C-alpha cells in the first residue's frame, strides 16, 4: 500500500452513475456525519483508492457494482449489528431509479458481504471489495493507530473491557483464515503488514 498517497477530497471521488448526483450527495452527507470515527469520508475515499490500486494491479472486477457497493457499504453506520443490512436496503431502495435490476442486486449482495468479509474464491467482485475495505489493516503504523483510535471513538459508550473483548473477537474472526486478503495483490502487498498490525493491537489490549 502506498501510505504516502494523499486521500482524495470528497469532490473527486469516482462515482459511476450519471444523473444521480443527488444520491451521491446524500451518501457523502451520511459519511460526513460528526458521529463517525473511522467509518467516515476518509474511509470511503481510501476504499475507492484501494479499488483503483487493485484494478491497476490486474484484479478483474465489475467496476460499476463494486464502486457503488463501496459507496453504500457503510452508508449506515451507528455501531449496531445490522448496519450492513440497512445499508444494503438503502441501496435496494435508491438505485432502481438509476440502474438496472441486476446491478442493484449485486450492489446489495456485496454490501451484505462486508459484514463478515468472507467472499468465495471465485467471487471476484466480493474479493475486490473485501480487500479494499480491509486494506486499512495494512496501513503504516501511525495510520493504523489513528484507525484504531477512530474505531474506539465510535464505541465511546462502551467501557474498555467490553470494547476490548468485542474488538478482539472481530480481529480474530478476520485473521483466523489462511489468507486475510483474497486478491493476489492483496496477499502480496498487504497480508504480512496487516497481520503484524493486528497482532500488535491484540497484544496492546491484552487479548
Amino acid at each position: 500500500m502506498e501510505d504516502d498517497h494523499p486521500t482524495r477530497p470528497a469532490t473527486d471521488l469516482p462515482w459511476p452513475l450519471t444523473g444521480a448526483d443527488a444520491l451521491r450527495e446524500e451518501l457523502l452527507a451520511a459519511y460526513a456525519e460528526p458521529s463517525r470515527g473511522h467509518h467516515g469520508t476518509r474511509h470511503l475515499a481510501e476504499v475507492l483508492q484501494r479499488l483503483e490500486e487493485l484494478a491497476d494491479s490486474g484484479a478483474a472486477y465489475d467496476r460499476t457494482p463494486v464502486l457503488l457497493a463501496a459507496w453504500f457499504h457503510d452508508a449506515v453506520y451507528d455501531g449496531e449489528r445490522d448496519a450492513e443490512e440497512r445499508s444494503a436496503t438503502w441501496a435496494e431502495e435508491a438505485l432502481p431509479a438509476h440502474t438496472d435490476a441486476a446491478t442493484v442486486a449485486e450492489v446489495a449482495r456485496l454490501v451484505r458481504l462486508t459484514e463478515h468479509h468472507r467472499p468465495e474464491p471465485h467471487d471476484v467482485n466480493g474479493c475486490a471489495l473485501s480487500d479494499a475495505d480491509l486494506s486499512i489493516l495494512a496501513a503504516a503504523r501511525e495510520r493504523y493507530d489513528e484507525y484504531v483510535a477512530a474505531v474506539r471513538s465510535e464505541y465511546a459508550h462502551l467501557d474498555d473491557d467490553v470494547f476490548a473483548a468485542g474488538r478482539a473477537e472481530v480481529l480474530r474472526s478476520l485473521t483466523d483464515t489462511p489468507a486475510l486478503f483474497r486478491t493476489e495483490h492483496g496477499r502480496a502487498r498487504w497480508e504480512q503488514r496487516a497481520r503484524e498490525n493486528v497482532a500488535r493491537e491484540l497484544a496492546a489490549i491484552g487479548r
Side-chain angles (χ1 to χ4, degrees), residues 131-174:
D131 279 16
D133 192 23
L134 295 179
S135 65
I136 185 62
L137 299 178
R141 182 167 184 152
E142 181 179 357
R143 175 69 185 108
Y144 187 86
D145 290 346
E146 290 177 354
Y147 148 69
V148 172
V151 171
R152 181 67 182 99
S153 75
E154 293 176 329
Y155 293 89
H157 58 286
L158 300 179
D159 66 39
D160 288 344
D161 286 343
V162 171
F163 174 78
R167 178 68 177 166
E169 181 181 357
V170 169
L171 293 174
R172 288 205 169 93
S173 71
L174 290 173

Side-chain angles (χ1 to χ4, degrees), residues 86-102:
R86 285 178 287 146
S87 296
T89 298
W90 185 356
E92 289 171 330
E93 293 173 348
L95 286 175
H98 305 289
T99 190
D100 61 274

